[in-house]
Amino acid sequence: MSAATDNKGRIANVDATLTSVIGQLETEANVKKAIRESLEPIEEFSRSALTELNKLHSAPASDQAAICERCLATVAKAQPLWADVSKLIPKGEFYRYSFAIGPLCRSFVTSIAFARFILHDELVPAFTAANLMGLGGDDTGELQLTADDYLQGVIGMVNELPRLSINAVTAQNFALPVKIAAFVNDVFQSYSLLNLRNDQLRRRFDSLKYDLKRCEDVVYDLTLRGLTAGTAAEANGEKTNA
Amino acid sequence: MADVMMAEPSSSTSALTRREHLAKTFEAYRAELDANTETRERLIILSRSITQMSKKLIFHLHRGATSGLVARAKNIRDGKGKEKEIIANFEKIRAELGSGESAESFWRWARPVSPGLEEYIEAVSFLFYLETGRLISLAEVQKGLSNPQTEEPYVVVTPEDYILGMSDLTGELMRYATNALSTGDHETPLAVCEFVRTVKVYFDGIPPYQLHKLSKKQDETTRSLVKIEKVCYSLRLRLIEFADRPDILRQMASRALDDARGDEPAGKDEE
């Protein structure tokens, strides 16, 4: 009989313990949900920025700078919203929730790096990209652009360049493919300096060499036909001014 | 590419300076990534050794759990010694994460640490059950993994870690119950069955989106539970039939066990 009462006590203990822990799990799920919701308006801007950049593929060369400016302006609109996300993250727990924030950061880096390449023919440094996103201020607390997200975001942008290079040729913009090939080559060489583990970044890095090859193939086709700037300055100048 | 460079000397010079500039920034990224990799590797090593030690502790506990009272008490005492050695490794993890850095660093490295943590939770909850017959609480697990003076956690135990650990515990309890049965102990299987059933009911109530990994483990728990329920069924019948014949009971128990095992795919128990 005593064994039976003993067992009852045990079951009561299980009840109390599990009810409490399941409650905690729920609280945590609610925090995650709130963070996800706070990210939604920012995602909206991130998507519009990419949509804007997509126009590069069909726009004439003369419109490209304006498209990139509009893209960066869209990115800037998201800046004040990060404070709302930051408020929801308990002190010291950025990395606990970074799984929800990382993909968004990568998408922003892709947009920013793309626009800055077209505008200034440069690879935007991580620090600048973070600033343009609006991270690193006092009100964004511990939110940060991690090295991994930055490096992946840049690759996301390079992945788009072979397509842009091909479309530039169709639109008779023969300077851009040369500019793209030189840039992708520089980026590829820079990434080669990194010691990558066998992770997602490594797999995405492996995609770079195919992008590089495709960009160089376009330049090869142009060179063969005397359409690159150096060998056919006249033709090129005419087209880009048109 | 070389041809292009030759064809365009002006852009080639600017590319060179850009490349040099990039090389500098990427060296900084490399230093950061390398430092991260090194920390991660050290943590993985610690986490692995925690996993190994926890598995050993579980085997140790199984070996003594069905012994006589004195031997069982000694087994649990030894088990606690082993648990202390495991905790020392968690202390090393905390040291690895650096004292200067804030608590954030734990969350950054939670992933490489979590396999060891889960195994530890399984081991310590089994130890706790054998000692007290109760389910260890999250707060109690956390307390064991905290600095006894400052009460600062070495690692943070989340409700997820805890629940997954408890789900693994049910598997160990099943093994314990069947082992007990073959020594002629009838109370343990009945108590464990009831206990696991209660845990399962609670875990079934957790919506899958809150804890993906649980549903697979729940399937496992359900399988073991069905198995032990069958054992309990035959056990109950035999207890009524042969209440005054312990020797026959023992025989019957081991037969019931074989029957239940027959339903399982081979090799299931060695997992």
Side-chain angles (χ1 to χ4, degrees), chain A residues 162 181 184-185 188 207-220:
Chain A
V184 175
N185 196 10
F188 178 74
S207 74
L208 279 185
K209 59 174 175 287
Y210 301 108
D211 293 329
L212 178 59
K213 186 175 180 305
R214 285 165 69 198
C215 292
E216 286 181 345
D217 285 350
V218 174
V219 173
Y220 175 76

Side-chain angles (χ1 to χ4, degrees), chain B residues 216-234:
Chain B
K216 221 186 261 168
K217 289 192 187 227
Q218 275 296 88
D219 294 345
E220 189 62 36
T221 304
T222 308
R223 266 199 297 280
S224 340
L225 185 59
V226 169
K227 179 172 148 189
I228 198 82
E229 278 173 345
K230 271 189 202 155
V231 173
C232 286
Y233 160 80
S234 355

Side-chain angles (χ1 to χ4, degrees), chain A residues 144-217:
Chain A
Q144 52 172 300
L145 176 60
T146 65
D148 194 79
D149 287 335
Y150 167 75
L151 291 168
Q152 288 204 42
V154 169
I155 293 177
M157 167 258 182
V158 174
N159 290 155
E160 281 290 302
L161 290 178
R163 221 187 112 212
L164 183 62
S165 182
I166 284 166
N167 293 333
V169 174
T170 311
Q172 304 198 52
N173 178 355
F174 301 128
L176 189 54
V178 178
K179 181 176 151 181
I180 288 176
F183 177 76
V184 175
N185 196 10
D186 281 358
V187 171
F188 178 74
Q189 299 302 336
S190 305
Y191 273 78
S192 305
L193 294 172
L194 304 174
N195 304 315
L196 297 175
R197 310 184 294 128
N198 236 350
D199 60 0
Q200 204 188 353
L201 181 57
R202 170 65 189 270
R203 282 192 291 281
R204 300 201 66 180
F205 165 70
D206 288 338
S207 74
L208 279 185
K209 59 174 175 287
Y210 301 108
D211 293 329
L212 178 59
K213 186 175 180 305
R214 285 165 69 198
C215 292
E216 286 181 345
D217 285 350

Side-chain angles (χ1 to χ4, degrees), chain B residues 141-161:
Chain B
V141 176
Q142 183 64 75
K143 194 165 173 240
L145 287 180
S146 301
N147 184 317
Q149 270 90 49
T150 62
E151 291 186 8
E152 240 176 285
Y154 298 137
V155 300
V156 180
V157 185
T158 64
E160 282 101 324
D161 295 328

Side-chain angles (χ1 to χ4, degrees), chain A residues 3 7 9-11 13-19 21-22 24-26 28-29 32 91-96 99 117 121-127 142 144 146-148 150-151 154 178-179 181-187 189-197 199 201 212 216 219-220 223 228-231, chain B residues 1 3-5 7-9 11 14-16 18-19 21-27 29-30 32-34 36-37 40-41 44 102-105 107-109 111 129 132-139 156-160 162-163 166 187 190-192 194-195 198-200 202-203 205-207 209-211:
Chain A
N7 209 25
R10 287 173 192 183
I11 300 303
N13 149 258
V14 175
D15 285 341
T17 304
L18 292 184
T19 306
V21 79
I22 287 171
Q24 288 179 51
L25 187 71
E26 221 169 279
E28 211 178 86
K32 280 182 193 156
K91 193 179 175 313
E93 297 190 7
F94 166 71
Y95 280 100
R96 187 176 192 177
F99 71 93
F117 161 64
D121 195 14
E122 64 161 11
L123 174 61
V124 68
F127 179 76
E142 295 165 12
Q144 52 172 300
T146 65
D148 194 79
Y150 167 75
L151 291 168
V154 169
V178 178
K179 181 176 151 181
F183 177 76
V184 175
N185 196 10
D186 281 358
V187 171
Q189 299 302 336
S190 305
Y191 273 78
S192 305
L193 294 172
L194 304 174
N195 304 315
L196 297 175
R197 310 184 294 128
D199 60 0
L201 181 57
L212 178 59
E216 286 181 345
V219 173
Y220 175 76
T223 314
T228 48
T231 50
Chain B
M1 197 62 216
D3 283 359
V4 179
M5 290 300 187
E8 255 245 332
S11 113
S14 82
L16 258 180
R18 179 173 65 195
R19 189 176 296 181
H21 182 72
L22 281 178
K24 247 181 235 155
T25 39
F26 271 74
E27 265 162 33
Y29 300 145
R30 175 170 66 196
E32 192 179 337
L33 292 183
D34 285 353
N36 290 349
T37 307
R40 184 179 296 106
E41 267 163 18
I44 287 174
S102 63
E104 167 202 278
S105 30
W107 294 108
R108 178 162 194 182
W109 303 107
R111 201 170 293 177
Y129 180 87
T132 65
R134 292 198 302 118
L135 184 68
I136 195 168
S137 71
L138 173 54
V156 180
V157 185
T158 64
E160 282 101 324
Y162 172 82
I163 289 172
M166 289 314 113
E187 284 308 318
L190 294 171
V192 164
E194 186 68 23
F195 186 88
T198 317
V199 172
K200 177 184 143 57
Y202 273 92
F203 286 0
I206 297 175
Y209 72 87
Q210 282 183 9
L211 196 47

